Amino acid sequence: MPIGKKTLGEKLFDGFNYVFLTLFAFSAVYPFINILSISFSTPAAANAYGLKFIPKEFTLEAYRAVFDNKVIWTGYYNTIIRTGVGTALNVLFTVLCAYPLSKRYLPNRNLYTSLIVFTMFFSGGLIPTYLLIKSLGLLDNRLVLILPGLIAAFSMIIVRNYFMSLPEEIEESAKIDGANDVRILFSIVLPVSLPIIATIALWYAVAHWNAWFDALLYISDPNKTVLQTVLYKIIIQGSPQFQQFETFDPSVQSVTPDIIKAATVMVATVPILCVYPFIQKYFVKGVMIGSLKG
């Protein structure tokens, strides 16, 4: 058989893979496309049977209704603040924790690392956590959305492993020139660690943007609620801010509750999707390098 020529079995296997992966990709993408199409459709087109890839009767009424609602804007503001401040603090304290643990000369390094890894498998539970948050006076405080998850154990381990993969000679030469550990970290280590920093920043940002359960538990002030909690109340609970859409009359209204929900989902989802193309190039490289050493 000529080198490089595939057998019939290999061709069939490749064909099966292409078909399977195409169907799998379609099953993952279609729900998003369907919701996008519904959000731009009129009630008649949205309620029609069949697959929906593009809006048959285009309208922006659902988005006008969503953006006219002050609750959405309040949720957006709080989510942006949480994501920006939370991600910055997460990355900072994760790096400050991972850097000393990456040094073999740190006393009891393995013990500290084991204690941190232990928290990945066991936690205090929901009720003890709530009582702890209450005793700290963090209820109805925006800091409750950031401080309890300030350092993710998994992200810290990845960053620690990445720092361990860096050549020690770089830091030794800096110490000879009189640089201390803080100067070495911020002036030498971090500039060459952008892939792993971008990776964990993406993880933290997505986690903050999508988080809703902690805000539902600890935040009761409507002026401090986040966008995903607003989305949860609109879709699952039926928020009173959208009760005017619960009784639909086609001759009077140009949107239905389902169209409002679809538009709200798109408003909450699209911003974080726009971040991925700018950080994706760092993502795989950061994870692979950060997982080389234990």
Side-chain angles (χ1 to χ4, degrees):
M1 180 183 299
I3 298 177
K5 187 175 181 180
K6 295 183 178 180
T7 63
L8 177 61
E10 291 175 334
K11 292 180 180 179
L12 292 175
F13 181 76
D14 289 343
F16 174 80
N17 278 341
Y18 289 137
V19 173
F20 173 77
L21 293 176
T22 300
L23 293 176
F24 180 78
F26 176 78
S27 66
V29 174
Y30 174 70
F32 182 83
I33 298 176
N34 181 63
I35 293 177
L36 179 64
S37 176
I38 291 176
S39 68
F40 286 109
S41 298
T42 61
N47 293 329
Y49 291 102
L51 299 177
K52 298 177 178 65
F53 292 99
I54 57 175
K56 294 182 179 180
E57 300 176 15
F58 186 86
T59 179
L60 294 174
E61 290 301 320
Y63 287 94
R64 291 194 184 98
V66 170
F67 286 119
D68 285 342
N69 193 290
K70 294 182 180 179
V71 178
I72 296 293
W73 289 111
T74 300
Y76 246 119
Y77 172 78
N78 292 326
T79 297
I80 292 173
I81 294 298
R82 173 184 183 168
T83 302
V85 176
T87 301
L89 292 177
N90 288 143
V91 172
L92 174 62
F93 281 91
T94 298
V95 168
L96 293 179
C97 179
Y99 182 68
L101 290 177
S102 66
K103 303 306 172 186
R104 293 181 175 85
Y105 55 78
L106 178 70
N108 300 319
R109 182 182 69 131
N110 292 332
L111 174 62
Y112 298 145
T113 303
S114 300
L115 292 176
I116 294 175
V117 172
F118 180 83
T119 64
M120 296 174 59
F121 304 101
F122 301 95
S123 66
L126 181 60
I127 295 177
T129 302
Y130 182 87
L131 295 176
L132 175 62
I133 295 298
K134 183 179 179 180
S135 64
L136 292 175
L138 291 176
L139 291 182
D140 246 358
N141 190 322
R142 286 188 175 91
L143 291 177
V144 75
L145 306 177
I146 299 174
L147 293 183
L150 193 60
I151 299 177
F154 179 77
S155 298
M156 193 282 298
I157 295 299
I158 293 294
V159 177
R160 166 187 172 270
N161 293 347
Y162 186 94
F163 288 160
M164 291 176 63
S165 68
L166 298 177
E168 296 180 359
E169 291 78 7
I170 299 178
E171 298 183 31
E172 292 175 355
S173 61
K175 288 182 178 180
I176 293 175
D177 293 335
N180 57 27
D181 290 329
V182 176
R183 180 67 182 274
I184 293 173
L185 173 61
F186 287 97
S187 299
I188 298 177
V189 176
L190 289 186
V192 300
S193 303
L194 288 181
I196 197 64
I197 299 300
T199 299
I200 65 169
L202 177 63
W203 289 348
Y204 281 126
V206 172
H208 279 299
W209 188 272
N210 291 332
W212 61 274
F213 190 62
D214 53 354
L216 188 66
L217 286 177
Y218 307 129
I219 301 294
S220 57
D221 187 350
N223 294 322
K224 298 178 181 178
T225 189
V226 296
L227 181 62
Q228 299 302 333
T229 303
V230 174
L231 180 63
Y232 167 80
K233 292 181 178 179
I234 292 174
I235 294 179
I236 305 299
Q237 295 181 346
S239 175
Q241 286 80 10
F242 289 89
Q243 287 299 318
Q244 64 267 31
F245 300 106
E246 293 301 326
T247 55
F248 170 62
D249 183 358
S251 63
V252 178
Q253 295 173 325
S254 57
V255 291
T256 64
D258 290 338
I259 298 177
I260 287 291
K261 293 175 182 179
T264 307
V265 170
M266 296 307 304
V267 167
T269 304
V270 168
I272 198 65
L273 291 180
C274 295
V275 177
Y276 273 91
F278 300 98
I279 307 180
Q280 185 180 11
K281 62 181 180 180
Y282 297 110
F283 189 81
V284 176
K285 182 179 179 181
V287 174
M288 293 301 294
I289 296 178
S291 61
L292 289 179
K293 291 186 179 182

